[in-house]
Amino acid sequence: MIIPWEKLKNLPVETQSGERLGRMSGFDLSSDGQDIKTYRVKSRGIIKGLMNGELLISREQVVSINDERLIVPDALVTEKNALRSEVASRVTAESAPATQSRISSSQNLNNS
């Protein structure tokens, strides 16, 4: 089946269990084989903030695609959640010393 770009553009992207991840916003082609290597997905919700609004899904991660939706494994959401946790812990760890420093500074000002 050939699916024209007009049908692919804004195509819903979901996991096998039906969790909506976003909509197709583009793709990357291989110049030598002229085949799609990566699908670009405009993401939704918290993923949008973590991934600058775009998910990259390799063609190997696609379970199925038709003119109604692109389906990826549920495991992709598990990976996304692990990434979300990792980013949150990094942000917390990186901001903790600065926050502690501000607290100490304000306490010193209040005690003066």
Side-chain angles (χ1 to χ4, degrees):
M1 173 204 275
I2 296 175
I3 305 173
W5 170 243
E6 292 78 22
K7 293 253 185 190
L8 282 177
K9 187 175 181 182
N10 293 318
L11 189 71
V13 178
E14 304 173 356
T15 64
Q16 289 173 302
S17 62
E19 183 174 345
R20 299 179 106 200
L21 298 178
R23 295 190 169 271
M24 178 95 62
S25 61
F27 52 82
D28 299 320
L29 288 173
S30 163
S31 63
D32 55 341
Q34 298 181 16
D35 55 340
I36 293 175
K37 292 295 184 184
T38 309
Y39 294 94
R40 295 182 172 270
V41 178
K42 186 179 287 186
S43 58
R44 305 172 25 151
I46 189 142
I47 306 172
K48 187 173 185 174
L50 295 176
M51 305 300 282
N52 295 326
E54 187 174 67
L55 294 170
L56 299 177
I57 298 176
S58 72
R59 63 186 270 178
E60 291 81 16
Q61 293 173 303
V62 175
V63 172
S64 68
I65 185 170
N66 58 38
D67 60 354
E68 293 182 15
R69 68 183 55 87
L70 183 141
I71 307 290
V72 298
D74 288 329
L76 205 58
V77 174
T78 305
E79 292 171 18
K80 170 197 75 177
N81 289 337
L83 176 62
R84 182 186 313 160
S85 296
E86 181 181 337
V87 169
S89 64
R90 283 185 185 177
V91 168
T92 302
E94 289 173 5
S95 65
T99 303
Q100 184 59 42
S101 175
R102 282 191 297 261
I103 291 170
S104 297
S105 295
S106 69
Q107 286 173 346
N108 288 340
L109 289 174
N110 290 337
N111 292 336
S112 300

